[in-house]
Amino acid sequence: VCTPGARTETSDKTGRLNKKEKMEEKKVSIQKSIIWNSAGSMVYLITQWLISVLVVRLSGVETAGILTLAMSVNNVFYSIAMQGIRNYQVSDMKEKYTSGIYVSSRLIICILSFLVCVGYALIAGYSYGSSLCIVAYCLFKMAEAFYDVYAGICQKKWRMDWIGKSWMVKGILSFVGFVAVLAVTQSLLAAILAMALVSWLVIFLYDIPRAKKLDTIKIHLKEKKNITLMAECFPLLCYQTMSSVIPTIPRLVMEKLLGGAALGIYGSVAAPTMIVQMGASYVFNPFITLFAEQYSSGNIRDFWKTFRKCMAAIVLISVVALGGGKILGHWGLELLYGDEVAAHEDLLLPLIGCTILTAIVWFLCALLTVVREIKGLVICNVIILPVSYFGAYLLIQQYGMQGGSISLAVSYLIEIGALWFWLLRKVKQREKQHMEQ
């Protein structure tokens, strides 16, 4: 027979064990989610990269230049469609907005972004063929942007394994569709449209049904909360747009000053380096929800511990990338593109450096969103925008294609310093508030 005290002690012990078991279960879930998300995202990234490689082989540098132009221009419209809301969405611990509102607002902004892209293509002065490719590529990027909000729903529920599987399917099918259509028709426009069609089909047949298993998603385009959410996140939209414009400016300036062929070469050399940038982002993106939980609870010690782990992973990836680029750079470019592009191997290491800096900027910007330091986020990008613009014109005129990388690196180094200042300031304020409570 147990005494009441013994029963209480046993109950407390059981409660602690259950709590520990739940924590271990969540830990396994997090690990599984991260592995699937990273694997799927990497497959998608590699297939997209292979598209930029094979377009040179299948259709030449000029066609690659048109594709690079379409990609560069749509970085801006893609950023507008994204609204900068993903990190806001997954760190919305109090569920201020429902999943339906996040989806509805994303659908509205995707439609608006596409219409703005069409208007830009009509007045920008590009050739008829280039303009059509820009619009077609926008359809593809809008699929990515629209899916992102469903990925946010999955991430918040720690089901990033579904996200990874979705990226795998999209990557493989869009790659096969693009390459097959381009090989048969020799039409870049048709190939891009095939890629867009595949992406939208996967969203409606796989992504949406999966997300609906996790949460109730009701789309109400006339709901006032859509406007409230978009208004609240308008500064994030401004930041996201400026953030995409900053690396796009050197490429647009390069196309104007040096021509489409130079941009095609620069874009081809840059394409493999995107693996570094995106690979680093796959390390820290899954932890955004964890950062939000730690910051919200005032657990600043664990917040910085997680920060150091993410930065260590970025540094490790950077060292491997720079070493690999130095040793295998010429051989890799020659294997992928041939002698014409491999002759510009001097562009590779600076571009790898730029992708590393880009990953760090993304990481710090994501953290500023988590801690809701939106003002600092916008100020930092406003400051860097003119630096990127004027730096690109001056440095590309003086150093040619290499000037594009130099101007981008200078811009990002300044931005990293500014972002770190705002992050440190905000986190110290939160730590002080928690200690006073």
Side-chain angles (χ1 to χ4, degrees), residues 112-181:
L112 293 175
S113 298
F114 177 74
L115 293 176
V116 173
C117 177
V118 172
Y120 173 81
L122 290 173
I123 66 174
Y126 297 115
S127 67
Y128 181 71
S130 295
S131 297
L132 287 176
C133 287
I134 289 171
V135 172
Y137 199 80
C138 188
L139 278 174
F140 169 68
K141 296 302 287 184
M142 290 307 102
E144 284 189 8
F146 187 60
Y147 166 65
D148 177 78
V149 73
Y150 285 98
I153 295 170
C154 295
Q155 181 176 347
K156 198 170 181 180
K157 301 293 185 180
W158 289 107
R159 290 309 308 260
M160 287 179 283
D161 53 324
W162 289 353
I163 301 174
K165 292 171 184 177
S166 176
W167 284 128
M168 281 187 182
V169 173
K170 286 190 186 77
I172 294 170
L173 293 182
S174 61
F175 171 77
V176 171
F178 181 93
V179 173
V181 172

Side-chain angles (χ1 to χ4, degrees), residues 52 55-56 59-69 188 260 263-264 268:
S52 65
V55 74
V56 178
S59 298
V61 173
E62 288 292 341
T63 302
I66 296 173
L67 181 61
T68 301
L69 177 64
L188 179 61
L263 180 60
S268 298

Side-chain angles (χ1 to χ4, degrees), residues 66-126:
I66 296 173
L67 181 61
T68 301
L69 177 64
M71 290 177 173
S72 300
V73 169
N74 276 290
N75 282 340
V76 178
F77 300 111
Y78 173 72
S79 296
I80 294 173
M82 291 285 283
Q83 300 172 271
I85 285 182
R86 172 68 176 274
N87 291 325
Y88 186 95
Q89 176 189 4
V90 300
S91 60
D92 185 5
M93 296 292 101
K94 297 180 180 179
E95 297 189 350
K96 184 176 181 180
Y97 298 99
T98 65
S99 294
I101 294 299
Y102 281 111
V103 173
S104 300
S105 64
R106 180 60 57 85
L107 179 58
I108 292 169
I109 200 70
C110 281
I111 293 171
L112 293 175
S113 298
F114 177 74
L115 293 176
V116 173
C117 177
V118 172
Y120 173 81
L122 290 173
I123 66 174
Y126 297 115

